[in-house]
Amino acid sequence: MKLMPIIKSAIERVRTNEKANAKNSAQLSQMRTAIKKFEKAKTAGAENTEELYRAAVSAVDKALSKGLIKANKAARDKSRMAARLAK
């Protein structure tokens, strides 16, 4: 059972936090999906890996700019994908 606050501002915060959480979760999920699509295409040897790589890097940068991931994680993910693309 989830307790609802009684104070109006606290109720509004709960509502705001739930919206933000949904938005952030969706953004992170989109980023992870883009990375997985690139990885899968590279493994399968598809022709559109360059395009998927750009989309994945863009998704990582977007998540970084929104504060969903830290700078080091963004750099690490992009570095791994670049190395994978070059192989």
Side-chain angles (χ1 to χ4, degrees):
M1 186 176 94
K2 198 163 92 174
L3 293 173
M4 265 307 273
I6 298 165
I7 298 155
K8 187 173 184 235
S9 62
I11 292 169
E12 288 168 3
R13 279 310 316 160
V14 167
R15 209 175 298 138
T16 306
N17 289 339
E18 282 172 353
K19 273 187 204 167
N21 187 274
K23 202 171 169 185
N24 291 342
S25 298
Q27 185 81 45
L28 266 177
S29 174
Q30 190 259 332
M31 180 195 81
R32 292 191 189 113
T33 304
I35 292 171
K36 281 179 191 164
K37 274 184 184 172
F38 165 72
E39 293 291 340
K40 204 171 187 181
K42 187 65 182 164
T43 305
E47 304 91 49
N48 65 339
T49 51
E50 185 79 35
E51 186 183 310
L52 288 171
Y53 168 75
R54 279 198 297 274
V57 167
S58 171
V60 169
D61 284 336
K62 199 167 190 180
L64 172 64
S65 73
K66 306 274 184 212
L68 300 178
I69 60 173
K70 293 190 175 179
N72 280 6
K73 176 169 169 52
R76 181 175 66 239
D77 285 352
K78 291 196 295 187
S79 172
R80 283 179 182 167
M81 286 189 292
R84 190 90 202 274
L85 183 68
K87 241 183 195 175

